[in-house]
Amino acid sequence: MRNNIKSKKIIIWLLVLILVVTIITATTFLLCYPTKYKSEIKKYSKQYELSPSMVASVIKIESNYNSTAISQAGAIGLMQIMPTTAVEVANKLGIEFEVDDLFDIDTNINIGCYYLKYLLNIFDGNIDNALSAYNWGLSNVKKWILKG
């Protein structure tokens, strides 16, 4: 009986330790990893309850921190947002918007973070599905999930 209780305590302490290390890593990521636009990433990550590390990673993968990037598909800016998606999000946010605003760092990160949170909500917090939908399109990922 005592060994069982000790084992449970050890497991609980290990889980707490892992959680603490994870939190410290996530919160210090932006201090340790050289990223641009830290204040905007922190601001909108907090506003939309996203991990700043995840947002910074999306920006790194999507545009390599190039605010003037335009993909072959027509996605624009740091977070590589499609103009049609940006118009929909801007309407939901109630902000005035023109497609060229996607080159504005603050606007791009705001719209990108809103959309990423929207996708996370659609997929019940499943980060894999949300990030796949961010990159490949919501309808594509829904089709893939249905085909299972």
Side-chain angles (χ1 to χ4, degrees):
M1 182 75 167
R2 283 184 169 247
N3 285 341
N4 195 15
I5 292 172
K6 283 184 180 182
S7 295
K8 286 182 180 179
K9 284 183 178 181
I10 291 171
I11 290 171
I12 290 171
W13 278 109
L14 285 173
L15 291 173
V16 169
L17 179 63
I18 291 169
L19 179 62
V20 168
V21 169
T22 302
I23 290 170
I24 290 170
T25 302
T27 56
T28 59
F29 174 82
L30 290 174
L31 299 174
C32 299
Y33 187 75
T35 58
K36 298 178 183 179
Y37 318 120
K38 288 181 184 182
S39 63
E40 293 88 350
I41 292 169
K42 286 179 184 178
K43 175 182 176 181
Y44 292 111
S45 295
K46 183 177 181 180
Q47 182 174 334
Y48 297 112
E49 300 174 332
L50 298 169
S51 160
S53 302
M54 181 170 56
V55 173
S57 297
V58 167
I59 293 170
K60 174 68 175 162
I61 294 298
E62 292 290 334
S63 70
N64 198 27
Y65 287 90
N66 179 358
S67 63
T68 61
I70 302 174
S71 73
Q72 290 180 345
I76 298 173
L78 290 172
M79 295 189 75
Q80 289 291 280
I81 304 164
M82 293 299 289
T84 53
T85 301
V87 169
E88 290 174 22
V89 171
N91 286 334
K92 289 178 183 179
L93 292 172
I95 58 175
E96 290 186 30
F97 176 79
E98 294 181 20
V99 173
D100 282 348
D101 293 338
L102 286 174
F103 293 110
D104 176 73
I105 292 153
D106 195 76
T107 301
N108 192 283
I109 295 175
N110 183 14
I111 289 174
C113 285
Y114 177 96
Y115 188 61
L116 188 53
K117 181 64 174 189
Y118 168 78
L119 293 171
L120 281 165
N121 288 336
I122 285 177
F123 293 110
D124 297 321
N126 184 307
I127 294 171
D128 293 337
N129 289 344
L131 290 175
S132 295
Y134 190 94
N135 188 266
W136 291 100
L138 177 57
S139 60
N140 289 329
V141 174
K142 283 183 174 181
K143 286 178 197 171
W144 299 335
I145 290 171
L146 288 174
K147 289 181 181 179

